[in-house]
Amino acid sequence: MRNFSFQNTTKLIFGAGSISNLMAEIPQDKKIMLTFGGGSIKQNGVYDQVQAALVNHHYIEFWGIEPNPKVETLRKAVELGKRENIDFILAVGGGSVLDGTKLIASAIPYTGDAWDLVLNPSLIQRIIPFADVITLPATGSEMNAGAVISNLATHEKYAFHSTYPQFSILDPTTTYSLPPFQIACGIADSFVHVMEQYMVDKNNSPLMDRWAEGILSTLIEIAPKIRQNQQDYDQMANFMLSATMALNGFISMGICTDWATHMIGHEITALTGLTHGETLVIVEPSLLRVMKNEKRKKLLQFAERIWNISETNEDKKIELAIEKTENFYRSLPLKTKLSEHGIGNDVCEEIVNRFRERKTQLGENASIDADTIKEILDLCK
Ligand code: NZQ
Ligand code: ZN
């Protein structure tokens, strides 16, 4: 096990009716900016609950943070926040609203342009305190310090490190209104978050392995039940908590992680606009096939413990496990090939060129270079 320090400072407030906690959680002397997406919270009653809880607070509103939040939109919120001297931000919505808020909170005290902070987070000097009411289980953003921001002008999408939300309110009933497609993407995203941390041979942590396997098995178990009835409180509560636990640091203590699927997936989104979860289920099966020798031990463990495969031929066992994983993604239902989205060679070539220019090597062993990415993308077609 590698040395590590661990501190996750987010207070989770979980359960039906928990939005009313806002009243007590945010001090009354704060000048708050509320940040929102495109309006789903006006239809499902979340906005009304937030308003009711903050009736005695001072707040202004910023609407329109889009999926894959764009720096162009966030700059407007930064301007507003500076002008109004706000000193607390509450994000209400999915991971995109919260990620956007992490940049807004970091950029208000900064004198330069917000995009500088995405490219170079060491420039962040101070971060306005922020919290959230999360309405989409997927990103884990409600209990991590990361955020992923897109740049419309340059077709770029990068992750950067901000800080943790002060508190996060997770009310599973807010997810009842999610479009089934977003639920499918959320389950896929959560599953792949675990895989990025778990599927690494050189780790030697049976405890991290079993926590990760617990989340993977839970997602496999609840996915068909959610498809049958997405208003089943317990299933949605388990989904919501699984998504949070998948990316809040609890399953990555003392281990190495991969994240190559995400890095390639972000490029697909940046160039085509494909939803985050969709990109992951395309890239990951192919990546596992190409990298199967580096991930051999863990793939065999995954085959046995997650998919109960007893095949004795190791290569067949690994292929069966990858097939079952891909079938799981297809059952959500999501497409797992680029061609099914009409994405062709030009996009793949551009992605390979970008990685070649950046000279970045991906994966837990930094062994995935531009040529390997080409091999992976060829299999994704
Ligand atoms: O904008 P509104 O109208 O609110 O609609 C949203 C949006 O259209 C809708 N929605 C959210 N909650 C709803 C709802 N509709 C009905 N009922 C509800 N309860 O869902 C749509 C998608 O929302 P979005 O926030 O974009 O989805 P998600 O939470 O999956 O976030 C995706 C973003 O997070 C990044 C992704 O790259 C992408 O940019 N990620 C962030 C991570 C992090 N911070 O740690 C890690 C992830 O790997 C990921 O990269
Ligand atoms: Zn993700």
Side-chain angles (χ1 to χ4, degrees), residues 138-139 189-190 192-193 247 259 262 266 276-277 280:
T139 61
D189 195 17
S190 308
V192 178
H193 289 162
L247 193 48
W259 298 106
H262 268 70
H266 287 333
H276 176 62
L280 304 177

Side-chain angles (χ1 to χ4, degrees), residues 162-288:
S162 161
T163 193
Y164 294 87
Q166 279 201 346
F167 65 84
S168 291
I169 294 186
L170 287 73
D171 176 345
T173 66
T174 65
T175 66
Y176 291 174
S177 59
L178 277 166
F181 170 70
Q182 291 297 340
I183 291 184
C185 288
I187 292 173
D189 195 17
S190 308
F191 196 93
V192 178
H193 289 162
V194 178
M195 292 289 274
E196 298 270 27
Q197 298 163 89
Y198 167 74
M199 193 52 72
V200 173
D201 261 17
K202 62 183 172 192
N203 292 334
N204 184 9
S205 175
L207 179 61
M208 291 298 116
D209 281 2
R210 288 196 167 86
W211 279 6
E213 287 157 358
I215 301 172
L216 295 176
S217 297
T218 302
L219 290 167
I220 292 167
E221 184 179 315
I222 63 180
K225 297 178 183 161
I226 289 173
R227 230 171 17 260
Q228 256 173 15
N229 177 13
Q230 76 170 70
Q231 310 217 334
D232 179 327
Y233 181 82
D234 284 329
Q235 303 305 338
M236 294 313 266
N238 281 305
F239 172 26
M240 218 170 189
L241 192 54
S242 298
T244 304
M245 294 306 293
L247 193 48
N248 63 359
F250 277 75
I251 60 165
S252 62
M253 292 181 209
I255 60 163
C256 296
T257 54
D258 179 345
W259 298 106
T261 296
H262 268 70
M263 301 301 278
I264 302 169
H266 287 333
E267 295 302 327
I268 299 177
T269 300
L271 291 166
T272 68
L274 216 62
T275 300
H276 176 62
E278 286 185 298
T279 68
L280 304 177
V281 300
I282 294 170
V283 176
E284 194 212 47
S286 300
L287 182 135
L288 294 179

Side-chain angles (χ1 to χ4, degrees), residues 102-119:
K102 287 177 179 173
L103 183 62
I104 298 165
S106 310
I108 288 175
Y110 177 65
T111 45
D113 179 44
W115 188 246
D116 300 345
L117 306 180
V118 178
L119 298 179

